[in-house]
Amino acid sequence: MSAAWPSVKARLVELLPQLLPVVPGWAEGAVYNGPPVTRDAVPSYVTVGFVVGEDFGGSYEQTRNGEGWQGALEEAGTIRCEVVCSTGDFDLPTVEARAFAFVDAFDALIAADETLGVLPPSSSASLAVDVQPAQTDKGAVQRLTVTLSYFARGL
């Protein structure tokens, strides 16, 4: 059984940086495959397959649709991402708007092709978002934990 999860994650790592120059406020942002591995002060970034404070970056389960091993292989999975925005000031609405603008573009990307170009044609994908605003001694921070859920049919 070949899992679709690594291909879906790799595709997100490939696609999400394409949103940076087109989403307002994200031109200087970054997309990381897993945890951020730099000490650079990037005010806006996205992690793929990693969320600060969590022990897993997603999951998947494969099943057969039909009797025994004769049925089509299906996979239901999730990939956890985190969208983080900060500006250095205490204006939460500004960072909130920037974070949600990125998620809106991410959602439009998924809606345009739910197969992400790597899943079988009858597959589907969608996003769910957990919202975590914060004020720190360095200013306002908007964290959005984004879960991409997919269902791949006929692997």
Side-chain angles (χ1 to χ4, degrees), residues 13-76:
V13 170
E14 178 185 338
L15 291 173
L16 292 179
Q18 296 173 21
L19 299 177
L20 297 177
V22 298
V23 177
W26 280 87
E28 301 298 320
V31 175
Y32 298 104
N33 183 356
V37 292
T38 179
R39 293 190 183 268
D40 294 342
V42 180
S44 300
Y45 66 89
V46 179
T47 60
V48 180
F50 177 80
V51 174
V52 172
E54 293 189 5
D55 294 333
F56 64 96
S59 63
Y60 71 91
E61 179 180 2
Q62 293 184 333
T63 58
R64 293 270 177 194
N65 180 3
E67 303 244 355
W69 290 100
Q70 303 301 318
L73 183 61
E74 298 176 335
E75 181 175 311

Side-chain angles (χ1 to χ4, degrees), residues 64-145:
R64 293 270 177 194
N65 180 3
E67 303 244 355
W69 290 100
Q70 303 301 318
L73 183 61
E74 298 176 335
E75 181 175 311
T78 62
I79 297 176
R80 304 277 283 165
C81 303
E82 188 170 39
V83 175
V84 180
C85 290
S86 62
T87 60
D89 63 32
F90 292 91
D91 182 30
L92 185 59
T94 299
V95 293
E96 183 178 78
R98 189 171 6 167
F100 278 98
F102 190 89
V103 170
D104 287 346
F106 189 174
D107 193 46
L109 184 78
I110 301 303
D113 180 9
E114 291 187 35
T115 71
L116 299 167
V118 296
L119 296 172
S122 62
S123 301
S124 61
S126 62
L127 298 180
V129 180
D130 296 320
V131 181
Q132 182 185 9
Q135 289 285 355
T136 70
D137 60 348
K138 295 180 180 167
V141 178
Q142 179 64 68
R143 302 179 94 84
L144 301 176
T145 301

